[in-house]
Amino acid sequence: KAGVTQTPRYLIKTRGQQVTLSCSPISGHRSVSWYQQTPGQGLQFLFEYFSETQRNKGNFPGRFSGRQFSNSRSEMNVSTLELGDSALYLCASNRGSSGNEQFFGPGTRLTVL
Amino acid sequence: QQQVKQSPQSLIVQKGGIPIINCAYENTAFDYFPWYQQFPGKGPALLIAIRPDVSEKKEGRFTISFNKSAKQFSLHIMDSQPGDSATYFCAASKLGQGAQKLVFGQGTRLTINP
């Protein structure tokens, strides 16, 4: 069974630009969560999508948004990029039922210059 | 109330030793406590998880000890090997509701010397 895949793996943008990151969950998984990982703040929850609906949200500004498609694939978008948005963005999937075992992808390394 | 505090930040142990990583949480509503292992360039991978109705869980060389009254839990790695060198994260969340929001500790960089 293929794992969680994320594209692109690396991205360099400049301040003020916007970016879209993509995540394909494990087949059969209906929940996709996004996390931001930085050396200073660690792993922080961004949001979770289940059946194309945002089911939970972390404490990030509205510049961070996401969506989920009918095939459970998800995208997250960051608008008006700031230097502090440089991070590893991780996507995790699970079946979406009561069990919380999440499977993480390798992440997208975003660098904002 | 949503924090999970993890210590130490880094740990160096000789091969065969037993590294211990500790975590403490505040929110008594948390009822799922996983540990993740992350190698450079990879996403975190689930190692072992525990729920508060048990005080200890073992899977291979990895053991979680859980103290509900103290709101603390810890990871022990028996017979540690150089291949265990990685960053370890504890986390907590609330089951039910279907929400998948994990609150992570800050991580422990573990080095096992040969």
Side-chain angles (χ1 to χ4, degrees):
Chain A
K1 206 178 212 182
V4 177
T5 57
Q6 293 186 246
T7 57
R9 292 294 310 279
Y10 303 92
L11 207 47
I12 299 176
K13 292 285 188 179
T14 56
R15 276 181 301 176
Q17 287 187 309
Q18 75 166 19
V19 68
T20 300
L21 313 181
S22 181
C23 171
S24 292
I26 292 172
S27 176
H29 286 191
R30 297 169 64 194
S31 166
V32 173
S33 298
W34 289 90
Y35 292 82
Q36 182 195 64
Q37 185 174 23
T38 60
Q41 300 298 317
L43 279 150
Q44 292 187 290
F45 175 80
L46 280 155
F47 30 66
E48 182 223 355
Y49 285 86
F50 177 79
S51 292
E52 302 178 63
T53 301
Q54 188 179 89
R55 188 161 65 170
N56 207 349
K57 190 176 188 304
N59 298 321
F60 279 80
R63 299 186 297 107
F64 292 82
S65 63
R67 60 178 176 168
Q68 186 180 34
F69 302 95
S70 57
N71 61 359
S72 294
R73 191 176 70 83
S74 176
E75 289 181 346
M76 69 163 279
N77 184 77
V78 188
S79 62
T80 320
L81 284 166
E82 300 176 0
L83 296 179
D85 296 333
S86 294
L88 180 68
Y89 289 89
L90 292 159
C91 164
S93 77
N94 78 358
R95 295 191 181 280
S97 56
S98 60
N100 272 23
E101 180 171 353
Q102 295 201 59
F103 296 85
F104 282 83
T108 294
R109 172 73 63 186
L110 171 65
T111 302
V112 182
L113 301 175
Chain B
Q1 265 235 323
Q2 291 296 312
Q3 277 190 319
V4 176
K5 295 182 180 178
Q6 182 173 347
S7 63
Q9 281 190 322
S10 63
L11 187 56
I12 300 174
V13 172
Q14 290 298 118
K15 178 184 172 184
I18 305 176
I20 301 173
I21 305 171
N22 300 298
C23 285
Y25 63 99
E26 299 170 352
N27 188 346
T28 54
F30 287 149
D31 55 7
Y32 174 73
F33 303 91
W35 284 88
Y36 283 84
Q37 179 189 55
Q38 186 177 28
F39 292 104
K42 304 283 188 182
L46 179 67
L47 260 182
I48 183 172
I50 198 169
R51 300 188 187 184
D53 52 345
V54 296
S55 60
E56 187 177 276
K57 183 175 180 180
K58 291 183 182 181
E59 282 188 10
R61 296 183 295 108
F62 300 93
T63 298
I64 299 180
S65 298
F66 185 83
N67 186 330
K68 188 174 181 178
S69 60
K71 292 187 285 185
Q72 295 175 348
F73 57 111
S74 59
L75 176 70
H76 298 59
I77 305 176
M78 306 301 177
D79 187 29
S80 58
Q81 302 296 315
D84 296 329
S85 297
T87 300
Y88 292 79
F89 293 93
C90 63
S93 73
K94 190 175 185 322
L95 282 175
Q97 298 182 351
Q100 309 305 324
K101 178 179 178 179
L102 286 168
V103 179
F104 283 90
Q106 284 295 95
T108 297
R109 182 170 291 185
L110 174 65
T111 302
I112 307 297
N113 286 330

